[in-house]
Amino acid sequence: MHSDNKLWPESHDLTKESLAEGVMLLRAFCREDAPLIYSAVQKVDSVSPFRQMIVPSGHTMSVAMTNTGTFGWTTDRQGYRYTTVDPATGQPWLQMPEILFSLARRAAEAAHFPHFVPNSCLINRYSTRARLSLHQDKNEEDYTQPIVSVSLGLPATFLLGTLRRSETPRRIRIEHGDVLVWGGPARLIFHGVAPIAAGTHPLTGAFRINLTFRHVAEPH
Ligand code: MD3
Ligand code: FE
């Protein structure tokens, strides 16, 4: 248990807050389900292990990634893309566990996107100092559906930018169990994650885990 508030500050209550047009923050939305969600993450890891991917510049990402669902996001020296097969195993990504699918649907619905059908879930694992620099998510080719982001474990400072890379992003503290829904005008904003501070979380240990649920357009 983490009853000592000096070691683990009290968490947020369940609230719904609009951070910007199209950005809804659902505090503590999945805190109760977190152990089950984390078990599903471990199952995904057993099929397609977390790995640090290489970006086209040749640098290795500090964040380790895996995927579940029909499509998985990957990068290598050739570029960013969605694939149906995990390049590391030659096997399909694990079918999205029902607990993850239903969580994403419920969160989207709470943020007024009632028809969200995720077919891709990218799972990011951050250890101490891992970060994600400011970027846009542009590989899905379907910007009518939202992205649902679920955070577990160590807290993070989320960088909430605008449609312009040059504008200074807002810093939003995201904690275990928080869910963010990004849609409409927010779908193409620049965003990132500041370096994760060292710590230990009762469920995830030394990690922060983020799941992003997406609807990826079928190849045409
Ligand atoms: C806003 N992940 O995987 S989740 C990513 O915490 C990514 O691991 C971060 O950015 C993380 O691409 C942030 C929040 C998020 C995800 C996708 C978005 C915000 C977004 C796409 C468009 C706009
Ligand atoms: Fe992103």
Side-chain angles (χ1 to χ4, degrees):
M1 282 293 286
H2 52 279
S3 47
D4 186 342
N5 284 342
K6 292 192 182 79
L7 291 175
W8 201 259
E10 85 289 348
S11 317
H12 288 95
D13 293 330
L14 263 173
T15 57
K16 197 193 288 194
E17 178 187 353
S18 171
L19 295 181
E21 213 193 323
V23 184
M24 197 75 93
L25 172 55
L26 309 170
R27 289 280 188 201
F29 188 83
C30 72
R31 207 161 59 206
E32 313 264 273
D33 294 334
L36 278 173
I37 298 163
Y38 193 57
S39 296
V41 170
Q42 288 172 313
K43 188 175 171 197
V44 175
D45 179 44
S46 73
V47 173
S48 285
F50 282 108
R51 82 294 304 259
Q52 289 174 260
M53 297 180 187
I54 298 173
V55 292
S57 68
H59 290 107
T60 301
M61 300 185 79
S62 59
V63 179
M65 299 177 163
T66 184
N67 292 274
T68 177
T70 305
F71 298 98
W73 186 88
T74 65
T75 174
D76 57 20
R77 282 186 181 79
Q78 273 60 58
Y80 311 124
R81 62 194 167 277
Y82 281 93
T83 64
T84 56
V85 165
D86 177 356
T89 64
Q91 295 299 122
W93 305 103
L94 181 71
Q95 185 186 340
M96 196 182 297
E98 178 59 29
I99 173 105
L100 300 185
F101 182 80
S102 61
L103 165 67
R105 301 253 330 182
R106 280 191 291 116
E109 201 177 319
H112 314 294
F113 290 99
H115 309 298
F116 183 45
V117 185
N119 58 7
S120 173
C121 174
L122 169 64
I123 309 179
N124 295 335
R125 189 183 71 188
Y126 297 75
S127 42
T128 310
R129 291 185 296 277
R131 60 194 289 272
L132 204 55
S133 56
L134 220 54
H135 67 279
Q136 291 172 299
D137 287 23
K138 293 196 298 193
N139 300 124
E140 294 76 22
E141 296 187 17
D142 179 353
Y143 306 134
T144 64
Q145 296 219 26
I147 285 185
V148 171
S149 151
V150 169
S151 292
L152 299 180
L154 294 179
T157 299
F158 189 76
L159 307 173
L160 174 62
T162 66
L163 292 172
R164 277 184 256 224
R165 186 188 289 277
S166 58
E167 284 181 340
T168 305
R170 285 161 65 191
R171 299 170 72 88
I172 313 280
R173 189 178 161 89
I174 298 296
E175 293 186 352
H176 176 68
D178 291 349
V179 175
L180 279 150
V181 182
W182 314 76
R187 186 59 187 74
L188 287 172
I189 63 161
F190 282 91
H191 58 280
V193 178
I196 300 295
T200 308
H201 187 274
L203 182 65
T204 66
F207 298 120
R208 168 177 189 255
I209 302 286
N210 180 268
L211 303 90
T212 48
F213 296 89
R214 303 139 191 265
H215 179 85
V216 176
E218 312 278 335
H220 44 261

